[in-house]
Amino acid sequence: MADRRLAGPVRIVGTGLLGTSIGLALTERGVDVSLADTSPSSVALAVDYGAGRRAAEGDNPELVIVCVPPDVTASVVASELAAFPEALVTDVASVKAGPLAELVAAGADVSRYIGSHPMAGRERSGAISARADIFLGRPWVIAGHDGISYRRAAAVEQLALDLGAIPIEMTVEEHDRNVALVSHVPQVVASLLATRLGSATDGAVSLAGQGLRDTTRIASSDPELWVQILSANSDAVVEVLHRYRADLDGVIAALEAPDARGSRRTIAEALAAGNTGVARIPGKHGQSARFSQLVVIVDDKPGELARLLTEIGEAGINMEDLRLEHSPGAQIGLAEISVVPEAEDRLAAELTARGWRISELSA
Amino acid sequence: MADRRLAGPVRIVGTGLLGTSIGLALTERGVDVSLADTSPSSVALAVDYGAGRRAAEGDNPELVIVCVPPDVTASVVASELAAFPEALVTDVASVKAGPLAELVAAGADVSRYIGSHPMAGRERSGAISARADIFLGRPWVIAGHDGISYRRAAAVEQLALDLGAIPIEMTVEEHDRNVALVSHVPQVVASLLATRLGSATDGAVSLAGQGLRDTTRIASSDPELWVQILSANSDAVVEVLHRYRADLDGVIAALEAPDARGSRRTIAEALAAGNTGVARIPGKHGQSARFSQLVVIVDDKPGELARLLTEIGEAGINMEDLRLEHSPGAQIGLAEISVVPEAEDRLAAELTARGWRISELSA
């Protein structure tokens, strides 16, 4: 629907990773983007990157996008609402209830404000990491409230669509509870687990497998940003962490007396509950159906994996996912290929016929 | 060193995932493998799979490999030592100190016993999941003790090498502490985190990103096996979990009063300690050097990823790792290519010249 795209002009306040990325994407689409930041050098960098032009006297934006840290989001939104009395204002902070409450308490005109949250965070930050494509295929929460009309808010949904994201509507409270569960608590858990490795021996880390790598990967995130996110959503995060700690205490107590009556049952039930929980996570195509996996042995030299994927393509089979297993010290890699269950047998036959060594891992 | 390979005969007791997999691998190499299990139907299945022959009167194994659950490992090792007074006996259980202590206490001849642990666990179990290649490139711990001579234990190291694994020697106590840290505690943490998703709304799980997927993936592991592993290594696991809980308590207390003096510092330090810890995990080639990453946009249709990897190969660049990002509902995928830092600029130039849309993610 090309006739429904945002036409602009758009003003972006805050030229970090998200602000600069949005500016790049909108500029690519021909929108007039003006950029502002408390740091003149940050604006200069974003302008150099092609994210828009420097904001100027007389700018009259239709849409203002506030992309500043959570701590200062509400106050910046309030001044933008006051400075541009015709504009719709949104923000992209990872927390939504606090800023809205602050704005209402301050008497801001929230009939022109609706918060949003593109789920496109990264382990890197700053304009230097900005790219126009980081929103592609990612959820973008539109956090509605009763003070703004459906029609007035439409431009924010259009913004998400223009940037290739998938708009998802929910209330600010739902948003904050949801991201506490699927993003903020996992960050805390991963950071605390990775912390245990700080004093690990070389012998211990030499045994690290894919499980440890996966469970700790996001522990490399930026502490400065995350301390703000966690502090701003502390109520929702603490609520989940209390339940998590209660379960943890149960497992610790059981492991302190593993031969006591009921201990093994407690541990087994904790593990089984984890099975149930992980099955709730949707797959690549937004469904929880499981794919079948084949593991293929690939020599660790240029071209081998490409040859494998070429031959899968020649067989007319669509690969749903691909995971390479790390093999410290080994000269081979293991490529785990996910396909729809119906394609599994044919893929195994095709690859075997072409001489690939294959392990069928599907249960 | 073909002349140093195990010649057999080898007896395998316990025909689950590991026992059957070892049997398949040794049989492929021409070793005479005899199989025993308390379940006759399990042995029959393993024989059908080609993992060896049924054990018989008069068998005289040089090496006995006990592949039974941790709970019964020591008693089975003891009876094997008694039944085959010339044989070297090993086991593959995920815990090592307890079984050795039990054997010594029972007066078993531990001059012929050395425990081992192939780090090749999977989220699936049973002979039905067995494959000869699951040990390729994985660490295989040889858990030495003072009661056995270096020469007597050599066959177990040769077993690991024959199966393509990387032997790593450590004491039973070192092993148990190390796997508590890098395997057992991550399992508990992932299971408890995934448990929180059991009651999540559809709206919450629709926001799930790669971070949540990674942190919870191993929560799908088999509860029955893991309750034995955790119980058998409870001392070492509890020690790590106590430290983990102390850190967790600190973060919860800080988040309960995020505006109190020192709270933000506590949270920031927890996140920074996670940065330090995750940096300790070795990369694919057994080193902690970080690779540079390029993210390339790939249409979600057969052949596109193969074409990308073919062109990377044509450029003569060795890909160190590949990660596909899930894009729920989107028709594109993001391929994160890891290369040595020196190759990054050239790869970006080559791919851009060939028309790929690319995002340089390296900081």
Side-chain angles (χ1 to χ4, degrees), chain A residues 37-362:
Chain A
D37 195 288
T38 51
S39 156
S41 73
S42 175
V43 173
L45 182 60
V47 170
D48 283 350
Y49 268 45
R53 61 173 175 82
R54 191 180 302 269
E57 288 290 322
D59 282 347
N60 187 21
E62 286 184 14
L63 174 65
V64 178
I65 309 171
V66 173
C67 307
V68 300
D71 278 2
V72 291
T73 292
S75 67
V76 174
V77 167
S79 28
E80 295 296 316
L81 284 168
F84 301 99
E86 304 298 318
L88 175 69
V89 179
T90 189
D91 74 292
V92 298
S94 306
V95 290
K96 299 268 68 88
L100 177 62
E102 276 187 64
L103 288 166
V104 171
D109 178 10
V110 294
S111 75
R112 294 185 288 115
Y113 166 74
I114 185 165
S116 74
H117 180 202
M119 307 294 292
R122 289 172 50 189
E123 289 127 54
R124 299 176 186 86
S125 58
I128 200 165
S129 304
R131 290 299 178 273
D133 52 32
I134 67 170
F135 309 103
L136 284 173
R138 300 299 179 93
W140 187 312
V141 175
I142 317 284
H145 60 87
D146 292 337
I148 186 168
S149 74
Y150 177 79
R151 283 175 56 90
R152 196 72 180 90
V156 174
E157 183 170 347
Q158 195 57 50
L159 169 70
L161 291 170
D162 283 356
L163 269 52
I166 299 158
I168 297 178
E169 289 177 44
M170 52 184 70
T171 67
V172 293
E173 294 81 13
E174 285 168 344
H175 169 273
D176 287 3
R177 275 200 308 273
N178 290 344
V179 294
L181 186 61
V182 306
S183 169
H184 303 176
V185 166
Q187 179 64 54
V188 172
V189 164
S191 293
L192 294 176
L193 177 60
T195 295
R196 294 290 104 235
L197 301 173
S199 55
T201 62
D202 289 345
V205 295
S206 76
L207 302 184
Q210 197 57 41
L212 182 68
R213 273 176 239 278
D214 285 350
T215 46
T216 58
R217 183 179 59 81
I218 57 173
S220 60
S221 296
D222 176 28
E224 202 175 333
L225 173 64
W226 273 95
V227 74
Q228 292 194 30
I229 295 173
L230 295 171
S231 300
N233 198 23
S234 58
D235 286 352
V237 172
V238 162
E239 190 181 325
V240 180
L241 285 180
H242 274 149
R243 291 191 188 139
Y244 177 88
R245 182 173 60 181
D247 290 345
L248 175 62
D249 285 345
V251 169
I252 289 176
L255 287 172
E256 283 172 338
D259 298 324
R261 182 176 178 145
S263 284
R264 291 205 166 207
R265 180 173 169 173
T266 298
I267 301 164
E269 286 178 350
L271 293 158
N275 290 175
T276 304
V278 75
R280 297 280 330 273
I281 302 176
K284 181 181 175 189
H285 292 299
Q287 62 204 24
S288 58
R290 293 299 180 91
F291 297 114
S292 298
Q293 280 86 33
L294 294 175
V295 170
V296 184
I297 299 172
V298 181
D299 286 346
D300 188 13
K301 61 185 187 189
E304 280 300 284
L305 189 59
R307 187 167 69 85
L308 171 64
L309 301 190
T310 299
E311 297 188 3
I312 293 171
E314 285 170 2
I317 290 167
N318 198 6
M319 188 174 67
E320 301 294 339
D321 198 9
L322 169 66
R323 176 183 287 270
L324 294 186
E325 290 199 30
H326 294 260
S327 304
Q331 291 310 303
I332 55 99
L334 303 176
E336 186 178 82
I337 313 283
S338 296
V339 294
V340 293
E342 305 84 82
E344 181 190 346
D345 288 347
R346 192 160 64 84
L347 178 60
E350 292 270 4
L351 291 179
T352 306
R354 291 158 191 260
W356 293 97
R357 285 196 291 159
I358 192 167
S359 290
E360 185 184 316
L361 288 177
S362 46

Side-chain angles (χ1 to χ4, degrees), chain B residues 287-342:
Chain B
Q287 63 204 26
S288 59
R290 292 299 178 91
F291 298 113
S292 299
Q293 280 86 34
L294 294 175
V295 170
V296 184
I297 299 172
V298 181
D299 286 345
D300 187 13
K301 62 185 189 190
E304 280 299 284
L305 189 60
R307 187 166 69 84
L308 171 64
L309 301 190
T310 299
E311 297 188 3
I312 292 172
E314 285 170 2
I317 290 167
N318 197 7
M319 186 173 69
E320 300 294 338
D321 197 10
L322 169 66
R323 177 183 286 268
L324 294 186
E325 289 199 31
H326 294 261
S327 304
Q331 291 310 302
I332 55 98
L334 303 176
E336 186 178 81
I337 313 283
S338 295
V339 294
V340 292
E342 305 84 84

Side-chain angles (χ1 to χ4, degrees), chain B residues 20 61-62 181 198 225 361:
Chain B
T20 307
E62 284 184 16
L181 185 62
L225 172 64
L361 289 177

